[in-house]
């Protein structure tokens, strides 16, 4: 990908599948905040580049995630985060749920049904990624991790993960 397509663009290019957790490989749910009113990425494609980098490193078994200071205090400095080596093949063979192409953008009825199913998408996923960089929205508001965890939709995704039968770090 060189940019993040809308649901309709991805569908027209044959890039979408109707995901079934029972028959398909694992799915990585990507939670994030939009950088423009009309699109989640900025004009430079910063988010697409970061997503590709994260997934590439995960597929190679090179993804390392450093816990924040609070996590180190609670869990100790030996906490292991990231995707273990044996999982790299699973993520290579897997799928990615990302709102711009996973949720219809033009059909508002289907969009509303998809949004109402967020908890199910999170629950069926094996991985939960928060894609939050040092970005700003077109309107000037900061869109970093702190902004992500303060937004309603992101908190819904986070609580859906916490309440799912298989919570993912």
């Amino acid at each position: 990908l060189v940019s993040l397509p809308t649901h309709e663009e991805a569908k027209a290019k044959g890039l979408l599948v109707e995901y079934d957790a029972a028959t398909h490989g694992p799915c990585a749910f990507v939670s994030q905040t939009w950088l423009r009113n009309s699109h989640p990425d900025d004009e430079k494609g910063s988010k697409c580049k970061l997503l590709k980098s994260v997934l590439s490193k995960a597929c190679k078994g090179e993804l390392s995630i450093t816990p924040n200071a609070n996590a180190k205090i609670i869990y100790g400095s030996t906490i292991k985060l990231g995707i273990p080596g044996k999982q790299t093949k699973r993520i290579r063979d897997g799928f990615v749920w990302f709102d711009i192409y996973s949720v219809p953008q033009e059909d508002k009825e289907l969009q509303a049904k998809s949004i109402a199913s967020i908890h199910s998408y999170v629950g069926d996923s094996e991985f939960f990624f928060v894609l939050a960089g040092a970005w700003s929205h077109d309107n000037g508001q900061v869109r970093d991790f702190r902004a992500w965890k303060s937004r309603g939709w992101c908190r819904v995704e986070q609580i859906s993960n916490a309440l799912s039968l298989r919570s993912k770090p």
Side-chain angles (χ1 to χ4, degrees), residues 101-119:
Y101 57 75
S102 298
V103 174
Q105 301 298 306
E106 294 173 12
D107 183 329
K108 297 305 178 188
E109 184 178 336
L110 279 178
Q111 184 181 58
K113 288 179 180 179
S114 294
I115 290 169
S117 301
I118 292 287
H119 66 283

Side-chain angles (χ1 to χ4, degrees), residues 46-109:
S46 302
K47 196 170 281 192
C48 184
K49 289 174 190 170
L50 180 60
L51 178 62
K52 287 178 10 179
S53 173
V54 166
L55 292 174
S56 176
K57 286 179 180 179
C59 288
K60 295 175 188 172
E62 299 171 352
L63 183 62
S64 174
I65 303 168
T66 305
N68 69 28
N70 291 334
K72 284 183 182 180
I73 290 168
I74 295 168
Y75 301 107
S77 61
T78 59
I79 184 172
K80 297 282 186 188
L81 294 175
I83 298 177
K86 67 181 180 178
Q87 293 284 21
T88 58
K89 181 180 182 335
R90 291 189 49 69
I91 202 164
R92 268 196 310 271
D93 296 339
F95 296 81
V96 175
W97 189 100
F98 196 94
D99 60 3
I100 187 70
Y101 57 75
S102 298
V103 174
Q105 301 298 306
E106 294 173 12
D107 183 329
K108 297 305 178 188
E109 184 178 336

